């Protein structure tokens, strides 16, 4: 029996098993669901055992356990480390769900004429992670596993993976591998498959501008003292020039652009501006001059104010000049920008542009480095080949706007590149009510992973 | 008996009567004190009758009553209309009072070595208003009232005088007068008396900048859409140039500066920067280039953000690009600036500088026009002469930063100029805990008012 024959034969069971996994409300941030989250880890472990993997174990952490399993077929074969997560986001707001969030329901949609599973975690990341479990099962059960495989499935991705880096540092030897494979990103569309090759990093800071000990009356002091809100606005405004280029000295020093070929593939990728604008109802697109939207969100860094507050914000009017104004500012980072270096550049610059009449505090929150997958490697070529085979199209190397900080850490600690081969769509409602995952996408993923293993083993031998 | 002999003889009674008035908690904004506020109006009426005035009456309004009384001594003599208010601010925070707010207590302070009455309303405005009651009583009882006098004492000044303009419009004939005299402002100091000749006007608006229907994820949209907070900051920053000059076209068209003599008097007036900065603990003074602090708060208009909010403002971090950002912006206006015209100039300009990617709303709250007392009139000269006589110093014509919108309305409706001859100090804790009014100031006021009447009658005859 071929691997594909096995997959075809077990389609319905695969789906039922995924539903079982999805029914467990493994909300990692919710204390009251700690038992469920643990139960979900055990369920993943059980499925790994049943799939034919060895050494399936739960590794306890200070939070939720990490599930590990492996199948070593040949010491000389390349090793693929599969990372995913079994925890999910909270389901609120509950009243916006059309069907209960933890009762998977199959419904057809415009994007998913073959049906999609509606449930929290359907795509992020239970459905996508389960693709690998079932693909590996199919390869093991049909004796066609060409690479060694290791699974590391964590339960704290949605709360920032606080215990994963200590785990990978402690188990470097166990996790030794040639490539890390993750399905936690999206495809452009069915006709235009893509591999995510860029993830932005992030630095996030609170800033505080103070001009006095106490609030002031705008009649007695207005015009003669620094108003910290006005000052904060002026400081923020000065952080970008008229082309929306960020003015912090040295900010772009470590920005590298993709190769001409990759940039061309991305520029040529279909982009539906209306669809992109629709979900948040954006009035218009704008950004740094000379770049497409994909480039603005993928290969350029950003600086956004995520929150601002100060003075009187109630109904009506109060003629106050506040003593202090605050903002939360974050920067998305790209290619070789280092979040600690950028945090320092920002902090130094922000303090340097403050007028003498105010005191400025900058409080860094957290950060993560960007990650770029090199596209001239056997790993990437294998992914390209697998997708070419199952989708009939060369995948677009996509630079995405979001961050998965752990990927940069994998590179730093384990010294292995990651292939981000996701099978969901951006429109699948990740982190939102009515999250879903297409059945077509699920089975297409299960079909593609063995193709990747095969192509990768061939290129590495 | 001379007027001054009468005053000297009745000093203690005057003070006891003021204490009686102060004990009534006439907090106009507090429903639960409506009976007290009414009681206070009756008490003022009773004192007016006892002082020898005629036609003392309470005029009901939709809120608290207006007390009116008059003494017409000679149809040909000039008429002085005295305005004041018997209502007070709330006393909170109560635990910051050293003695109960409605139990007047005499204590000595550095500024008041002869003692001061500590109580809510001691200076604002019961003590200052009572000066006129007792000065007029002294003139009537010693047959030396040289002008006709009318009293209009309201009970809603601290809540914006909502019923006063309808009242003055309805009673224009009754209120006919040659000058309005108000004691509800401050002296520079004992050695440096002053008359307030400028009050700033005000326009106050809410602005709202929206770039989308819903909040956006800063990873997926950051760099490709307008962030309304960044846009709002840029728009606000652009409202002033590097010299802190306001950039709204036409904004300064109706600004007129005082005469060289008045400006020089104000420039030469003593100014203790440290004392000014101390109460709110300001880190430094700054403002439009080429002006002193008194000029910046008195003769220049301002533009201040009184409040700003948008996006995520809680603890920690959230990588959101909000759909909307808000601010409250007010402008203090001077000389001939009209608040409705300025509101329109601001609104038109603010909308014109918005990028196409956002929608801007401007919601005006309320406004008031500035007022400037001309200093080349018999009224002002009489005030100058009276103060010269009782203080031994020429008063400084001071342009103040705050607003008393009703004064501009008096000019518009009654077509009469106002003399703002206050006897308190800015350090007397108006609107704050431990408000007080110096005994020296109280008696110096009672002494100065008859001097004003005498000088004014002489100049007008």
């Amino acid at each position: 029996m071929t691997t594909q024959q096995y997959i075809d034969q077990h389609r319905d069971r695969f789906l039922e098993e995924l539903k079982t996994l999805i029914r467990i409300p493994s909300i990692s941030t919710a204390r009251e669901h700690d038992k469920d989250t643990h139960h979900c880890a055990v369920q993943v472990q059980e499925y790994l055992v049943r799939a034919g993997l060895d050494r399936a174990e739960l590794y306890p952490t200070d939070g939720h356990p990490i599930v590990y399993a492996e199948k070593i077929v040949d010491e000389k074969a390349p090793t693929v480390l599969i990372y995913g997560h079994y925890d999910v986001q909270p389901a609120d707001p509950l009243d916006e769900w059309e069907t209960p969030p933890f009762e998977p329901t199959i419904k057809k949609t415009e994007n998913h004429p073959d049906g999609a599973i509606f449930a929290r975690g359907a795509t992020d990341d239970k459905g996508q992670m389960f693709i690998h479990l079932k693909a590996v099962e199919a390869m093991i059960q049909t004796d066609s596993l060409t690479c060694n495989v290791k699974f590391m499935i964590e339960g704290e991705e949605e709360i920032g993976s606080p215990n994963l880096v200590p785990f990978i540092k402690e188990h470097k030897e166990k996790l030794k591998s040639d490539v890390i494979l993750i399905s936690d990103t999206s495809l452009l569309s069915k006709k235009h498959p893509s591999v995510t090759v860029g993830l932005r990093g992030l630095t996030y800071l609170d800033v505080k501008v103070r001009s006095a000990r106490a609030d002031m009356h705008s009649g007695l002091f207005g015009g003669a003292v620094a108003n910290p809100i006005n000052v904060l606005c002026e400081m923020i405004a000065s952080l970008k020039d008229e082309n929306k280029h960020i003015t912090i000295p040295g900010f772009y020093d470590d920005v590298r652009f993709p190769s001409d070929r990759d940039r061309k593939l991305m520029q040529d990728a279909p982009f539906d501006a209306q669809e992109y604008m629709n979900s948040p109802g954006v009035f218009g697109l704008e950004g740094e001059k000379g770049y497409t939207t994909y480039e603005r969100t993928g290969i350029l860094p950003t600086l956004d104010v995520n929150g601002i507050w100060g003075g009187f914000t109630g109904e009506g009017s109060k003629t106050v000049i506040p003593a202090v104004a605050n903002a939360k500012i974050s920067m998305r980072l790209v290619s070789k920008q280092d979040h600690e270096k950028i945090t320092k550049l920002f902090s130094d610059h922000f303090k340097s542009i403050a007028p003498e009449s105010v005191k400025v505090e900058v409080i860094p929150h957290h950060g993560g480095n960007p990650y770029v997958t090199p596209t001239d490697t056997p790993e990437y070529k294998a992914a390209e080949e697998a997708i070419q085979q199952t989708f009939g199209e060369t995948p677009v190397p996509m630079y995405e706007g979001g961050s998965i900080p752990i990927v940069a850490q994998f590179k730093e600690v384990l010294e292995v590149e990651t292939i981000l081969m996701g099978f969901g769509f951006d429109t699948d409602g990740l982190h939102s009510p009515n999250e879903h995952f297409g059945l077509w996408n699920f089975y297409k993923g299960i079909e593609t992973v063995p193709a990747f293993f095969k192509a990768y083993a061939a290129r590495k031998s």
Side-chain angles (χ1 to χ4, degrees), chain A:
Chain A
M1 185 159 39
T2 66
T3 306
Q4 190 57 42
Q5 282 169 336
Y6 182 92
I7 294 168
D8 291 341
Q9 203 171 321
H10 294 272
R11 282 174 74 87
D12 296 345
R13 178 175 58 83
F14 288 178
L15 185 58
E16 286 313 309
E17 286 177 358
L18 173 57
K19 284 185 183 175
T20 301
L21 204 59
I22 286 175
R23 283 194 191 97
I24 307 168
S26 50
I27 304 169
S28 48
T29 197
R31 274 290 164 94
E32 66 272 27
H33 285 291
D34 277 1
K35 274 192 180 167
D36 297 314
T37 308
H38 194 270
H39 172 200
C40 195
V42 174
Q43 184 68 64
V44 170
Q45 181 191 26
E46 197 183 306
Y47 281 141
L48 284 164
V49 173
R50 282 205 247 159
L53 284 119
D54 303 325
R55 294 177 64 186
E57 273 184 79
L58 254 56
Y59 284 80
T61 71
D62 286 346
H64 303 297
I66 292 163
V67 190
Y68 177 83
E70 62 179 40
K71 186 80 186 179
I72 308 299
V73 286
D74 180 352
E75 285 297 328
K76 285 176 204 145
T79 300
V80 178
L81 173 60
I82 290 160
Y83 164 79
H85 62 96
Y86 62 84
D87 65 321
V88 299
Q89 281 274 319
D92 340 70
L94 286 176
D95 56 1
E96 292 185 23
W97 284 82
E98 289 169 14
T99 52
F102 294 103
E103 187 43 64
T105 311
I106 310 291
K107 284 188 286 187
K108 291 180 182 177
T109 73
E110 205 186 313
N111 282 334
H112 299 294
D114 301 327
I117 320 176
F118 280 75
R120 169 57 80 232
T123 179
D124 180 15
D125 182 49
K126 287 175 175 170
Q128 296 229 58
M129 174 262 281
F130 209 61
I131 283 173
H132 295 278
L133 242 158
K134 295 298 107 179
V136 169
E137 175 190 320
M139 288 186 278
I140 293 175
Q141 300 304 331
T142 56
D143 270 333
S144 53
L145 188 61
T146 51
C147 303
N148 302 312
V149 62
K150 296 175 176 180
F151 279 85
M152 173 173 68
I153 312 296
E154 72 154 322
E156 300 187 311
E157 198 269 351
E158 300 294 0
I159 52 171
S161 305
N163 293 298
L164 191 62
V165 174
F167 178 82
I168 63 173
K169 280 184 176 161
E170 198 185 327
H171 297 97
K172 276 172 84 163
E173 193 53 38
K174 179 197 292 290
L175 299 170
K176 209 164 175 233
S177 51
D178 297 278
V179 64
I180 296 168
L181 187 58
I182 306 179
S183 294
D184 200 13
T185 50
S186 299
L187 293 167
L188 279 174
S189 72
K190 286 181 187 179
K191 285 189 181 166
H192 300 280
S194 52
V195 174
T196 299
V197 296
L199 293 168
R200 293 199 283 197
L202 180 74
T203 178
Y204 199 110
L205 317 100
D206 272 20
V207 301
K208 194 183 276 288
V209 173
R210 181 180 281 280
S211 71
R213 206 183 53 245
D215 288 356
M216 292 158 281
H217 187 278
S218 78
L220 300 179
F221 290 91
V225 298
N227 178 325
I229 303 182
N230 289 66
V231 170
L232 177 60
C233 288
E234 288 157 19
M235 291 171 72
I236 288 171
S238 81
L239 295 175
K240 291 187 195 179
D241 69 15
E242 64 281 11
N243 295 323
K244 315 239 175 267
H245 197 71
I246 295 158
T247 58
I248 299 167
F251 188 79
Y252 290 91
D253 283 0
D254 299 320
V255 174
R256 304 281 177 277
F257 282 165
S259 70
D260 290 348
R261 179 211 180 234
D262 287 359
R263 202 166 160 189
K264 180 92 174 54
L265 279 171
M266 204 162 79
Q267 280 167 348
D268 292 345
F271 172 66
D272 186 333
Q274 207 51 55
E275 183 177 299
Y276 176 73
M277 287 162 70
N278 267 352
S279 83
V282 183
F283 301 153
L285 297 179
E286 64 161 51
E288 186 159 352
K289 281 213 175 128
Y291 297 90
T292 64
T293 293
Y294 279 151
E295 288 174 335
R296 286 167 176 169
T297 59
I299 66 174
L300 286 178
T302 67
L303 185 150
D304 273 299
V305 184
N306 303 104
I308 194 164
W309 70 103
F312 177 69
T313 59
E315 284 281 313
S317 59
K318 188 179 172 189
T319 49
V320 65
I321 295 181
V324 60
N326 303 273
K328 289 177 186 283
I329 298 177
S330 69
M331 285 149 277
R332 295 275 171 179
L333 310 178
V334 298
S335 63
K336 298 194 177 298
Q337 286 182 304
D338 178 81
H339 75 96
E340 287 177 357
K341 183 175 164 190
I342 294 291
T343 299
K344 182 157 181 0
L345 286 179
F346 175 90
S347 184
D348 290 350
H349 177 67
F350 202 70
K351 287 173 183 168
S352 79
I353 60 175
E356 282 181 16
S357 47
V358 301
K359 289 178 186 167
V360 169
E361 267 182 274
V362 178
I363 306 134
H365 271 291
H366 65 84
N369 282 336
Y371 177 72
V372 173
T373 305
T375 56
D376 54 358
T377 61
E379 294 82 53
Y380 187 80
K381 296 287 175 202
E384 206 171 50
E385 198 177 317
I387 287 170
Q388 172 70 48
Q389 188 185 318
T390 56
F391 285 75
E393 285 286 335
T394 303
V396 179
M398 280 298 295
Y399 287 74
E400 294 199 355
S403 304
I404 313 180
I406 199 66
V407 177
Q409 299 271 1
F410 288 158
K411 171 74 182 164
E412 277 165 43
V413 179
L414 302 176
E415 296 168 60
V416 180
E417 303 291 355
T418 292
I419 297 293
L420 294 153
M421 193 162 64
F423 295 99
F425 293 150
D426 271 346
T427 49
D428 286 347
L430 291 78
H431 293 208
S432 301
N434 305 307
E435 176 180 349
H436 54 279
F437 188 41
L439 298 184
W440 183 91
N441 304 59
F442 179 55
Y443 293 117
K444 185 60 79 177
I446 299 176
E447 184 188 337
T448 306
V449 171
F452 170 80
F453 272 65
K454 203 172 156 192
Y456 188 50
R459 285 181 177 270
K460 290 288 276 189
S461 68

